[in-house]
Amino acid sequence: VDMNTSISLFVFSQCLWIILKLKIIIYSETVGLKPAPVIIDGIPINNLTRKVLDSQSFLSQSMNIILEDAVKKSTDVKEKVCEWRSPEELKELLDLELRDEGESESEILQRCRDTIRYSVKTTHPRFFNQLFAGMEPYSLVASVIVEALKPSLYTYEVAPVFTLVENAVLRKMMELIGWEEGGDGIFCAGGSMSNMYALNLARYHHCPDVKEHGLSAAPRLVIFTSEECHYSIAKSAALLGIGTKNVYVVASDERGKMIPSALEELIETAKKEGTIPFFVNATAGTTVLGAFDPLEEIADICEKHNIWLHVDACWGGAALMSDRHKHLLKGIHRANSVAWNPHKMLMVCLQCSAFLVRDKTSLLQDCHSSRASYLFQQDKFYDVSYDTGDKSVQCSRKPDSFKFWLMWKALGKGELKQRVDRAFAMAKYFAEQIKQREGFQLLMEPECTNVCFWYIPPSLRNLQGHPKFWKKLHTVAPAIKERMMKVGSMMVGYQTHKDRVNFFRMVLVSPQVSTEDADFVLDEMHNLGKDL
């Protein structure tokens, strides 16, 4: 074969090969053939096991279930607050076992329906059991956005929008507290965590060597808090190694307010015992009675003795939004730190808890910083002051402030103020109804939106003053609570308090609650308890 023929055959073969490859590609695209898998350790890694877009049908159907069952039905007063089942019954209904093989889409959608069906509807207009309630649509949408984007709020590079949002919300909350020169703060995982932050920061402020050398570097430090305070104060003392025995409990008056003279007397006693008073926790809105401690007088004492003043305003902080009720927190601007939960009276979706500090010298950063080099590099291409994660004891942290921010942007301060004012007005209405009804008795006039009262069944109404009256009345609230849960008509909490037997604590928060709902509670309690 001569040279020209060889070249022609080579060119021809190359053309055939190109045509063949094109045909293979076209055919592969036509019939959906995939390229050969890349296999490492016997595992194909270039083919996705499951594309997100393949789940669009499931996402669409599940969102419809959420909107219909968890939003529409759960806020409908005609629906049940809960569909009660015992733990053993519920285990059987839900089929909780986790298996090797996944379930079908239809089965998973049914799991979603069952989860909603058998859960307590805290957004229902007749849910009064906790210090939160009601459906808040704007913060709900914010929650969905957060879950869809999956950010973690430690650096600006990972969460640019949300770091700026948190900063803006904290500044606005500080303004409401009255810190004209600003301060510092962080959103954290609940009010209990906020109180722990306060204790840890106050200890670091008093004994900075504890951070590096541990408890051996600290003297015996003592905490002062009222007998009405939240239990997280004692838990934090235990967790931080301060010890629950070093939590000195200050007496409260008949309305549940800390007695300033008792506080000062206890501080003097602690000093004589050789301990170091370093922290006073005042409460703005106690959990049971809704009492507000006298902050101005307590602040005077703290300044006199050079003690860190923390105000637990997780519940009552919302009153700062209201011109009518902010007097309840008079003096809060003098606090060194404040805890405030917008997820309570302001109705932001759980959880949304802020810890705020008057200090502006990077105390919060210095106390908690570990300078992790893989997150907090100092030679980044942007302003690293926006990397706020080193202030936190957490690493991963959700941008909870976004829920508050979006809601505030939608409603404005005016609507939030009205929300607070309405809750207080509704509590006043409910208390007046109690006073007008036979068989109902207030513990005291409400100061916040907690209304505490007894229901006295007909069988006990002529026994008041009898030695067994209070013992018998003690059993009434638990019995009615059981019945209301099993019927599913409403949820109202009960508890004891000091020497008082079980009583109901009605918490009014949601603007979706009407006077008809409040009246229903009293009617239903009588219907459920009149035979006791």
Side-chain angles (χ1 to χ4, degrees), residues 478-496:
I480 293 177
K481 179 64 179 282
E482 178 184 353
R483 292 178 178 184
M484 74 172 73
M485 291 286 289
K486 290 182 175 179
V487 171
S489 57
M490 61 185 188
M491 278 186 68
V492 183
Y494 73 88
Q495 66 281 305
T496 59

Side-chain angles (χ1 to χ4, degrees), residues 56-176:
Q56 278 192 335
S57 170
F58 170 74
L59 289 171
S60 177
Q61 292 182 75
S62 61
M63 287 304 295
N64 287 334
I65 291 170
I66 291 168
L67 288 172
E68 181 64 26
D69 294 1
V71 176
K72 185 178 177 181
K73 287 184 180 179
S74 295
T75 57
D76 186 349
V77 74
K78 296 176 184 177
E79 298 285 338
K80 290 183 177 183
V81 176
C82 66
E83 190 164 322
W84 173 258
R85 294 290 188 276
S86 70
E88 293 308 315
E89 288 177 308
L90 198 54
K91 287 178 186 177
E92 187 70 25
L93 284 167
L94 296 179
D95 183 16
L96 297 171
E97 185 180 349
L98 298 172
R99 301 179 178 86
D100 292 341
E101 298 297 324
E103 297 181 337
S104 68
E105 183 175 288
S106 61
E107 288 175 310
I108 296 301
L109 289 170
Q110 187 58 46
R111 302 293 183 208
C112 295
R113 293 188 188 93
D114 290 343
T115 297
I116 296 169
R117 177 181 178 182
Y118 297 113
S119 292
V120 174
K121 313 305 185 294
T122 66
T123 56
H124 195 283
R126 291 174 181 170
F127 176 85
F128 307 101
N129 208 70
Q130 317 300 145
L131 299 179
F132 65 89
M135 170 63 67
E136 214 308 304
Y138 301 105
S139 64
L140 173 60
V141 169
S143 300
V144 174
I145 291 172
V146 165
E147 295 301 333
L149 293 176
K150 273 176 65 176
S152 188
L153 199 62
Y154 27 60
T155 61
Y156 179 83
E157 65 177 292
V158 172
V161 172
F162 300 116
T163 53
L164 297 181
V165 164
E166 181 175 69
N167 187 268
V169 173
L170 288 169
R171 285 201 315 270
K172 198 65 180 178
M173 295 178 81
M174 291 172 201
E175 181 184 313
L176 290 168

Side-chain angles (χ1 to χ4, degrees), residues 199 202-203 206 221-224 242 276-280 307-308:
L199 268 173
R203 181 175 65 179
H206 195 88
L221 300 170
V222 293
I223 299 162
F224 303 86
I242 295 169
I276 306 296
F278 84 107
F279 184 91
V280 170
I307 299 175
W308 184 286

Side-chain angles (χ1 to χ4, degrees), residues 323-455:
D323 295 335
R324 187 188 300 267
H325 299 291
K326 65 183 180 182
H327 68 89
L328 294 167
L329 297 102
K330 185 181 178 183
I332 193 171
H333 66 285
R334 299 173 65 186
N336 297 95
S337 59
V338 173
W340 178 1
N341 288 1
H343 70 234
K344 291 185 176 175
M345 200 180 298
L346 293 178
M347 293 179 59
V348 180
C349 287
L350 283 166
Q351 60 196 19
C352 187
S353 305
F355 173 65
L356 305 119
V357 190
R358 183 154 47 106
D359 176 88
K360 298 193 303 176
T361 66
S362 76
L363 186 69
L364 189 60
Q365 173 89 14
D366 294 341
C367 179
H368 298 124
S369 173
S370 62
R371 298 179 178 85
S373 61
Y374 63 91
L375 274 179
F376 307 116
Q377 304 94 332
Q378 296 304 295
D379 54 357
K380 292 180 179 180
F381 62 94
Y382 60 86
D383 183 354
V384 295
S385 67
Y386 290 101
D387 289 355
T388 58
D390 224 10
K391 296 177 183 179
S392 171
V393 297
Q394 300 170 251
C395 182
S396 299
R397 188 166 62 91
K398 288 188 176 183
D400 294 322
S401 59
F402 181 62
K403 294 177 282 190
F404 192 15
W405 179 83
L406 193 66
M407 184 187 81
W408 193 324
K409 293 289 280 186
L411 300 175
K413 185 185 175 185
E415 179 64 28
L416 297 177
K417 168 185 173 295
Q418 188 177 44
R419 183 171 288 181
V420 174
D421 288 343
R422 191 182 186 280
F424 275 84
M426 186 62 75
K428 187 175 181 180
Y429 170 84
F430 189 74
E432 289 301 316
Q433 297 307 303
I434 287 173
K435 288 187 283 188
Q436 294 174 22
R437 294 205 183 203
E438 184 181 8
F440 290 87
Q441 182 179 327
L442 276 176
L443 266 73
M444 61 184 68
E445 291 288 338
E447 184 175 27
C448 193
T449 66
N450 316 36
V451 184
C452 299
F453 64 98
W454 287 285
Y455 169 70

